[in-house]
Amino acid sequence: MFEDVKNQISQQIDQFCFQNDLPTGKVEFRSIPFSGEWGMAAPLFPLAASDPNKTGPVPQHAQFLAERIKDIVGLPAGFTRSEAVKGYLNLYFDTSLYAASVVEKINESGHNFGNALPTGQTVMVEYSNPNTHKPLHVGHLRNVILGGSVCNILEASGKKVVRANYIGDIGLHVIKWMCNYEMYHAGERPGEDKMRWMADLYSEADRRFHEQEGFEEIVRAYFARWDEGDERIHDLWLQTRQWSMDGFAQVYELLGEHFDRIYFESDVEDSGKVLVDQLIQDGLATDGRPENPVIVDLDSLLGTKEEYRVAVVLRSDGTSLYATKELPLAIMKFDEYALDESIYVIDVRQSLHMKQMQKILELMGYPWAKNMHHLAYEIVNLPGNVIMSSRDGTVVLLDDLVREATQRALEVVREKNPELDEDTMMDVAQKVALGAIKYPMISRENTKIVTFDWDSALDFNGQSAPYVQYANVRANSILRKAGELRGKAARFNHALEPSEVNLIELLSKLPDEISKSAREYKPSSLAAFAYELAKAFNDFYNQCQVLKVDGDLRDSRLALVQATKVCLEKTLNLLGIQAPQVM
RNA sequence: GCCCCCGUAGCUCAAUGGACAGAGCACCAGCCUUCUAAGCUGUUGGUUGUGCGUUCGAAUCGCACCGGGGGUACCA
């Protein structure tokens, strides 16, 4: 929009600089930070500071330059006002013209508004990564929401995304579960709520493991039988793993997540051991067995000091570790897909481990290793800096949280909107509840700890998903009552209210917000944007009438409401939050 | 010891080198005969952990401290 004019202006400025022995490229425009007015602003301080002929302090000279450039630029087409103030040059847009083009563009594009052109790049995002036979808690939720949202945002920024999930289907936790099952629940089968059932049996098994005399020994013996390849245990494992996978599927469906590729830890165990042999042969790994494990001493290989440390890639007894399997998995990913980038959504405590894996693959000569990216996020805590622990019973289970939030949301819907039918109420309650739960998980920066507390999780007011959802519902309500608005041109030839200018400016920023969020893998900036947009719409809603005005004014405002709804829904969807049509 | 992250209003968080550091929650006072009050308006609240530096300009960049969290060879 207005590209020609913008180019013309920067040419004029360049020419001015050239004629006055000033360096070019020092004047950059950004949007004016005042609300209610709309235009572009350039600070003249950088130019003033680099002027060899300046006399006096920089701010004063910047003001002088701003005034001179203001005179030279004049008032190009599409602008209504210009000013030089405090060292800034401000150019104000012709709001009617700009408003009409922004709103028209959005309503033409619909939910494609803000999407970038395809880049031809393919990126894999590995996230969720649950352990089978164990419950999911709100810590896992942060991973799923963050990963899913990053996928959505990358897709919108023009990349092809492969959603991958790496399932921890082997290990002590699985053996514990199966052992407990065989001894105390043999023959039982999960009911409708598989997740819950698996979780209950897991905590029972874990309790016995730590408290019940002799149970640990039985589990160890069971583990040995598993290692020897006991067929019956293997069959039970396949069966119970499937129950767990079914339970995960239920949760993913509830959360609106799907995966393109599932990797099992058990799939890469054997190839991991082969790969470790290779590392030893190549002289990269040192085999200390049987007393010591197989290690890759990265610091001495690279000549660094206490930076990459030592990576243990195989236990001294020859059994595999997380690291053993991570290496072949990375290779498999790049073999299967022509990936330009491989992203790992894993919590920050594994930063060193991820750094080591990447370095080892690099040393092995894989050129793509540099395209691995650890998207580190902080954990979810409880108030008072308490870490969630299943041992202490402080874990907040996803199940309980969703149930409680949905119940609470249902009460609110019933009170606010009693004429809705039961199914709709339930649908709305679920969307609101899930939104409320998800929002805090992505509205904070990835590197900040999220402190979970029930009060704010169940608070549907203020900076929250329900606030944004509600704004969207209000917009929808206006549109529904207005009926068809096809063919109505939005001319915006009225004097725009500050709240209208503000709202339109935000709408125009959505494409930039999406690409910024994608570039930095930060849904949090989009979450903040969603809130700002909703707030701007609520301002508009309170200040400007739509249905009670006539003619062009009504048509323009209806188009604006329509465009706002498009952008609100788009942004919510990118965050993995659904937008109900009534609340 | 070494490495990483965090420190902004009573609490939870924004502000990605630019104009007076902004929201929400909480508190107090208002607004439903007006497109849904899950909303809006107003009041209160700050030596941006400390110090020094870089810069015309620093919450933001650098250095040194202080406080909190995490990681640091056979957990994941």
Short mmCIF file of all heavy atoms in Angstrom, two decimals, chain A residues 392-436:
data_model
loop_
_atom_site.label_atom_id
_atom_site.label_comp_id
_atom_site.label_asym_id
_atom_site.label_seq_id
_atom_site.Cartn_x
_atom_site.Cartn_y
_atom_site.Cartn_z
N ASP A 392 5.08 -36.00 44.98
CA ASP A 392 4.47 -35.21 46.04
C ASP A 392 2.99 -34.94 45.80
O ASP A 392 2.35 -34.26 46.59
CB ASP A 392 5.19 -33.85 46.17
CG ASP A 392 6.69 -34.03 46.38
OD1 ASP A 392 7.08 -35.10 46.87
OD2 ASP A 392 7.46 -33.12 46.03
N GLY A 393 2.50 -35.45 44.67
CA GLY A 393 1.09 -35.24 44.38
C GLY A 393 0.76 -33.80 44.03
O GLY A 393 -0.37 -33.35 44.16
N THR A 394 1.78 -33.03 43.59
CA THR A 394 1.53 -31.63 43.26
C THR A 394 1.25 -31.42 41.78
O THR A 394 1.06 -30.30 41.34
CB THR A 394 2.74 -30.76 43.65
OG1 THR A 394 3.92 -31.35 43.10
CG2 THR A 394 2.87 -30.67 45.14
N VAL A 395 1.22 -32.51 41.02
CA VAL A 395 1.00 -32.39 39.59
C VAL A 395 -0.45 -32.01 39.30
O VAL A 395 -1.37 -32.54 39.91
CB VAL A 395 1.31 -33.73 38.89
CG1 VAL A 395 1.00 -33.63 37.40
CG2 VAL A 395 2.76 -34.11 39.09
N VAL A 396 -0.61 -31.05 38.39
CA VAL A 396 -1.95 -30.70 37.94
C VAL A 396 -2.22 -31.47 36.65
O VAL A 396 -1.61 -31.18 35.61
CB VAL A 396 -2.10 -29.19 37.70
CG1 VAL A 396 -3.49 -28.87 37.18
CG2 VAL A 396 -1.83 -28.43 38.99
N LEU A 397 -3.09 -32.44 36.72
CA LEU A 397 -3.36 -33.26 35.54
C LEU A 397 -4.22 -32.49 34.55
O LEU A 397 -5.15 -31.79 34.91
CB LEU A 397 -4.06 -34.56 35.95
CG LEU A 397 -3.22 -35.54 36.78
CD1 LEU A 397 -3.99 -36.83 37.02
CD2 LEU A 397 -1.90 -35.85 36.10
N LEU A 398 -3.89 -32.69 33.30
CA LEU A 398 -4.57 -32.03 32.21
C LEU A 398 -6.07 -32.29 32.27
O LEU A 398 -6.90 -31.40 32.11
CB LEU A 398 -4.00 -32.59 30.91
CG LEU A 398 -4.26 -31.79 29.65
CD1 LEU A 398 -3.92 -30.36 29.90
CD2 LEU A 398 -3.38 -32.35 28.54
N ASP A 399 -6.36 -33.54 32.52
CA ASP A 399 -7.73 -34.02 32.65
C ASP A 399 -8.55 -33.20 33.64
O ASP A 399 -9.63 -32.72 33.34
CB ASP A 399 -7.62 -35.44 33.18
CG ASP A 399 -8.48 -36.38 32.42
OD1 ASP A 399 -8.64 -36.14 31.22
OD2 ASP A 399 -8.99 -37.33 33.03
N ASP A 400 -8.00 -33.09 34.85
CA ASP A 400 -8.69 -32.37 35.93
C ASP A 400 -8.86 -30.91 35.56
O ASP A 400 -9.92 -30.32 35.80
CB ASP A 400 -7.88 -32.47 37.24
CG ASP A 400 -7.75 -33.91 37.71
OD1 ASP A 400 -8.64 -34.71 37.38
OD2 ASP A 400 -6.75 -34.22 38.38
N LEU A 401 -7.82 -30.34 34.99
CA LEU A 401 -7.85 -28.93 34.64
C LEU A 401 -8.93 -28.65 33.60
O LEU A 401 -9.74 -27.74 33.75
CB LEU A 401 -6.47 -28.50 34.11
CG LEU A 401 -6.35 -27.05 33.65
CD1 LEU A 401 -6.72 -26.10 34.77
CD2 LEU A 401 -4.93 -26.76 33.18
N VAL A 402 -8.96 -29.45 32.55
CA VAL A 402 -9.93 -29.24 31.49
C VAL A 402 -11.35 -29.42 32.03
O VAL A 402 -12.24 -28.62 31.73
CB VAL A 402 -9.67 -30.21 30.31
CG1 VAL A 402 -10.81 -30.13 29.30
CG2 VAL A 402 -8.34 -29.90 29.65
N ARG A 403 -11.53 -30.45 32.83
CA ARG A 403 -12.86 -30.72 33.39
C ARG A 403 -13.35 -29.55 34.23
O ARG A 403 -14.46 -29.07 34.07
CB ARG A 403 -12.79 -31.99 34.23
CG ARG A 403 -14.13 -32.49 34.71
CD ARG A 403 -14.00 -33.90 35.22
NE ARG A 403 -13.36 -34.77 34.21
CZ ARG A 403 -12.76 -35.93 34.49
NH1 ARG A 403 -12.70 -36.35 35.73
NH2 ARG A 403 -12.23 -36.65 33.53
N GLU A 404 -12.49 -29.08 35.12
CA GLU A 404 -12.85 -28.00 36.03
C GLU A 404 -13.13 -26.71 35.25
O GLU A 404 -14.12 -26.01 35.50
CB GLU A 404 -11.71 -27.78 37.03
CG GLU A 404 -11.97 -26.71 38.07
CD GLU A 404 -13.13 -27.03 39.00
OE1 GLU A 404 -13.33 -28.23 39.30
OE2 GLU A 404 -13.83 -26.09 39.42
N ALA A 405 -12.26 -26.40 34.29
CA ALA A 405 -12.42 -25.16 33.52
C ALA A 405 -13.70 -25.21 32.69
O ALA A 405 -14.42 -24.22 32.58
CB ALA A 405 -11.20 -24.95 32.62
N THR A 406 -13.98 -26.36 32.11
CA THR A 406 -15.19 -26.49 31.29
C THR A 406 -16.43 -26.32 32.16
O THR A 406 -17.40 -25.65 31.77
CB THR A 406 -15.23 -27.87 30.60
OG1 THR A 406 -14.00 -28.07 29.91
CG2 THR A 406 -16.37 -27.95 29.61
N GLN A 407 -16.40 -26.91 33.34
CA GLN A 407 -17.52 -26.79 34.28
C GLN A 407 -17.76 -25.32 34.62
O GLN A 407 -18.89 -24.84 34.58
CB GLN A 407 -17.19 -27.60 35.54
CG GLN A 407 -18.36 -27.77 36.48
CD GLN A 407 -19.58 -28.35 35.77
OE1 GLN A 407 -19.47 -29.26 34.96
NE2 GLN A 407 -20.75 -27.77 36.04
N ARG A 408 -16.66 -24.62 34.90
CA ARG A 408 -16.75 -23.22 35.27
C ARG A 408 -17.29 -22.38 34.11
O ARG A 408 -18.14 -21.51 34.28
CB ARG A 408 -15.37 -22.71 35.70
CG ARG A 408 -15.34 -21.40 36.41
CD ARG A 408 -15.86 -21.48 37.84
NE ARG A 408 -14.93 -22.19 38.69
CZ ARG A 408 -13.96 -21.59 39.41
NH1 ARG A 408 -13.80 -20.29 39.35
NH2 ARG A 408 -13.17 -22.29 40.19
N ALA A 409 -16.79 -22.68 32.92
CA ALA A 409 -17.23 -21.93 31.74
C ALA A 409 -18.70 -22.20 31.45
O ALA A 409 -19.45 -21.29 31.06
CB ALA A 409 -16.38 -22.32 30.54
N LEU A 410 -19.12 -23.41 31.68
CA LEU A 410 -20.51 -23.78 31.44
C LEU A 410 -21.45 -22.97 32.34
O LEU A 410 -22.50 -22.48 31.91
CB LEU A 410 -20.69 -25.28 31.68
CG LEU A 410 -22.00 -25.92 31.20
CD1 LEU A 410 -22.19 -25.71 29.71
CD2 LEU A 410 -22.02 -27.40 31.53
N GLU A 411 -21.04 -22.82 33.59
CA GLU A 411 -21.84 -22.01 34.53
C GLU A 411 -22.00 -20.58 34.02
O GLU A 411 -23.08 -20.01 34.09
CB GLU A 411 -21.17 -21.98 35.91
CG GLU A 411 -21.36 -23.25 36.71
CD GLU A 411 -20.43 -23.31 37.93
OE1 GLU A 411 -20.01 -22.23 38.42
OE2 GLU A 411 -20.11 -24.44 38.37
N VAL A 412 -20.89 -20.04 33.51
CA VAL A 412 -20.93 -18.66 33.03
C VAL A 412 -21.84 -18.55 31.80
O VAL A 412 -22.66 -17.63 31.71
CB VAL A 412 -19.52 -18.13 32.71
CG1 VAL A 412 -19.58 -16.70 32.21
CG2 VAL A 412 -18.63 -18.21 33.94
N VAL A 413 -21.71 -19.47 30.88
CA VAL A 413 -22.55 -19.42 29.66
C VAL A 413 -24.02 -19.52 30.03
O VAL A 413 -24.86 -18.79 29.51
CB VAL A 413 -22.22 -20.58 28.69
CG1 VAL A 413 -23.01 -20.43 27.41
CG2 VAL A 413 -20.75 -20.63 28.38
N ARG A 414 -24.31 -20.44 30.92
CA ARG A 414 -25.70 -20.66 31.33
C ARG A 414 -26.30 -19.38 31.91
O ARG A 414 -27.46 -19.03 31.66
CB ARG A 414 -25.75 -21.78 32.36
CG ARG A 414 -27.07 -22.56 32.35
CD ARG A 414 -27.12 -23.61 33.44
NE ARG A 414 -26.19 -24.72 33.24
CZ ARG A 414 -26.39 -25.71 32.35
NH1 ARG A 414 -27.47 -25.71 31.60
NH2 ARG A 414 -25.51 -26.67 32.22
N GLU A 415 -25.45 -18.67 32.65
CA GLU A 415 -25.92 -17.43 33.28
C GLU A 415 -26.06 -16.29 32.26
O GLU A 415 -27.04 -15.57 32.27
CB GLU A 415 -24.91 -17.06 34.38
CG GLU A 415 -25.25 -15.80 35.14
CD GLU A 415 -24.02 -15.24 35.84
OE1 GLU A 415 -23.21 -16.04 36.35
OE2 GLU A 415 -23.87 -14.01 35.85
N LYS A 416 -25.06 -16.19 31.36
CA LYS A 416 -25.06 -15.06 30.42
C LYS A 416 -26.04 -15.24 29.27
O LYS A 416 -26.54 -14.29 28.71
CB LYS A 416 -23.65 -14.90 29.80
CG LYS A 416 -22.55 -14.73 30.80
CD LYS A 416 -22.38 -13.30 31.18
CE LYS A 416 -21.28 -13.18 32.24
NZ LYS A 416 -21.27 -11.87 32.87
N ASN A 417 -26.22 -16.47 28.88
CA ASN A 417 -26.93 -16.72 27.63
C ASN A 417 -27.86 -17.93 27.77
O ASN A 417 -27.69 -18.93 27.09
CB ASN A 417 -25.88 -16.98 26.54
CG ASN A 417 -26.20 -16.23 25.28
OD1 ASN A 417 -27.35 -15.88 25.04
ND2 ASN A 417 -25.20 -15.99 24.45
N PRO A 418 -28.85 -17.82 28.66
CA PRO A 418 -29.66 -18.99 29.03
C PRO A 418 -30.50 -19.54 27.88
O PRO A 418 -30.93 -20.70 27.96
CB PRO A 418 -30.54 -18.46 30.17
CG PRO A 418 -30.52 -16.99 30.06
CD PRO A 418 -29.23 -16.61 29.41
N GLU A 419 -30.72 -18.75 26.84
CA GLU A 419 -31.60 -19.25 25.78
C GLU A 419 -30.91 -20.20 24.80
O GLU A 419 -31.56 -20.78 23.92
CB GLU A 419 -32.25 -18.08 25.01
CG GLU A 419 -31.31 -17.28 24.15
CD GLU A 419 -30.59 -16.20 24.95
OE1 GLU A 419 -30.66 -16.20 26.20
OE2 GLU A 419 -29.94 -15.36 24.33
N LEU A 420 -29.59 -20.37 24.95
CA LEU A 420 -28.89 -21.29 24.06
C LEU A 420 -29.28 -22.74 24.38
O LEU A 420 -29.59 -23.05 25.53
CB LEU A 420 -27.38 -21.15 24.22
CG LEU A 420 -26.74 -19.83 23.77
CD1 LEU A 420 -25.25 -19.84 24.08
CD2 LEU A 420 -26.97 -19.61 22.29
N ASP A 421 -29.24 -23.60 23.34
CA ASP A 421 -29.54 -25.00 23.63
C ASP A 421 -28.34 -25.67 24.29
O ASP A 421 -27.22 -25.17 24.23
CB ASP A 421 -29.98 -25.74 22.36
CG ASP A 421 -28.88 -25.80 21.34
OD1 ASP A 421 -27.98 -26.65 21.48
OD2 ASP A 421 -28.90 -24.97 20.39
N GLU A 422 -28.61 -26.80 24.89
CA GLU A 422 -27.62 -27.47 25.74
C GLU A 422 -26.33 -27.80 24.98
O GLU A 422 -25.23 -27.60 25.48
CB GLU A 422 -28.24 -28.74 26.33
CG GLU A 422 -27.54 -29.26 27.55
CD GLU A 422 -27.57 -28.29 28.74
OE1 GLU A 422 -28.50 -27.43 28.81
OE2 GLU A 422 -26.67 -28.37 29.57
N ASP A 423 -26.47 -28.29 23.75
CA ASP A 423 -25.29 -28.66 22.96
C ASP A 423 -24.40 -27.46 22.67
O ASP A 423 -23.18 -27.53 22.78
CB ASP A 423 -25.72 -29.30 21.63
CG ASP A 423 -26.23 -30.71 21.83
OD1 ASP A 423 -26.11 -31.22 22.97
OD2 ASP A 423 -26.76 -31.30 20.87
N THR A 424 -25.05 -26.36 22.28
CA THR A 424 -24.29 -25.15 21.99
C THR A 424 -23.57 -24.66 23.24
O THR A 424 -22.40 -24.28 23.18
CB THR A 424 -25.23 -24.05 21.46
OG1 THR A 424 -26.02 -24.59 20.42
CG2 THR A 424 -24.44 -22.86 20.93
N MET A 425 -24.29 -24.70 24.36
CA MET A 425 -23.66 -24.27 25.61
C MET A 425 -22.41 -25.09 25.91
O MET A 425 -21.37 -24.54 26.29
CB MET A 425 -24.64 -24.47 26.78
CG MET A 425 -25.63 -23.36 26.95
SD MET A 425 -26.46 -23.58 28.53
CE MET A 425 -27.84 -22.46 28.32
N MET A 426 -22.53 -26.37 25.73
CA MET A 426 -21.40 -27.25 26.01
C MET A 426 -20.24 -26.94 25.06
O MET A 426 -19.07 -26.89 25.47
CB MET A 426 -21.85 -28.72 25.84
CG MET A 426 -20.91 -29.72 26.45
SD MET A 426 -20.64 -29.42 28.21
CE MET A 426 -18.97 -30.01 28.37
N ASP A 427 -20.58 -26.73 23.79
CA ASP A 427 -19.57 -26.42 22.79
C ASP A 427 -18.84 -25.12 23.14
O ASP A 427 -17.60 -25.05 23.11
CB ASP A 427 -20.25 -26.30 21.42
CG ASP A 427 -19.26 -25.97 20.32
OD1 ASP A 427 -18.33 -26.78 20.09
OD2 ASP A 427 -19.40 -24.89 19.71
N VAL A 428 -19.61 -24.11 23.49
CA VAL A 428 -19.03 -22.83 23.86
C VAL A 428 -18.16 -22.97 25.10
O VAL A 428 -17.02 -22.49 25.14
CB VAL A 428 -20.14 -21.78 24.12
CG1 VAL A 428 -19.56 -20.52 24.74
CG2 VAL A 428 -20.87 -21.45 22.83
N ALA A 429 -18.68 -23.68 26.10
CA ALA A 429 -17.95 -23.85 27.35
C ALA A 429 -16.59 -24.49 27.10
O ALA A 429 -15.58 -24.10 27.67
CB ALA A 429 -18.76 -24.68 28.34
N GLN A 430 -16.58 -25.48 26.22
CA GLN A 430 -15.33 -26.17 25.96
C GLN A 430 -14.31 -25.28 25.24
O GLN A 430 -13.13 -25.26 25.58
CB GLN A 430 -15.59 -27.42 25.14
CG GLN A 430 -14.44 -28.38 25.19
CD GLN A 430 -14.82 -29.77 24.70
OE1 GLN A 430 -14.94 -29.98 23.51
NE2 GLN A 430 -15.02 -30.68 25.62
N LYS A 431 -14.81 -24.52 24.26
CA LYS A 431 -13.90 -23.63 23.54
C LYS A 431 -13.35 -22.54 24.45
O LYS A 431 -12.16 -22.19 24.39
CB LYS A 431 -14.62 -22.99 22.35
CG LYS A 431 -14.79 -23.98 21.20
CD LYS A 431 -15.66 -23.43 20.08
CE LYS A 431 -15.72 -24.44 18.93
NZ LYS A 431 -16.84 -24.19 18.02
N VAL A 432 -14.20 -22.01 25.30
CA VAL A 432 -13.76 -20.97 26.23
C VAL A 432 -12.76 -21.55 27.24
O VAL A 432 -11.71 -20.96 27.50
CB VAL A 432 -14.98 -20.36 26.98
CG1 VAL A 432 -14.52 -19.48 28.13
CG2 VAL A 432 -15.83 -19.56 26.00
N ALA A 433 -13.10 -22.71 27.78
CA ALA A 433 -12.24 -23.33 28.79
C ALA A 433 -10.86 -23.64 28.22
O ALA A 433 -9.83 -23.31 28.82
CB ALA A 433 -12.89 -24.60 29.33
N LEU A 434 -10.84 -24.26 27.06
CA LEU A 434 -9.55 -24.60 26.45
C LEU A 434 -8.75 -23.36 26.10
O LEU A 434 -7.54 -23.32 26.31
CB LEU A 434 -9.77 -25.46 25.20
CG LEU A 434 -10.15 -26.91 25.48
CD1 LEU A 434 -10.59 -27.61 24.21
CD2 LEU A 434 -8.99 -27.67 26.13
N GLY A 435 -9.44 -22.35 25.60
CA GLY A 435 -8.76 -21.10 25.29
C GLY A 435 -8.13 -20.50 26.54
O GLY A 435 -6.98 -20.08 26.53
N ALA A 436 -8.92 -20.49 27.62
CA ALA A 436 -8.45 -19.91 28.87
C ALA A 436 -7.22 -20.65 29.39
O ALA A 436 -6.30 -20.04 29.92
CB ALA A 436 -9.56 -19.94 29.91
#
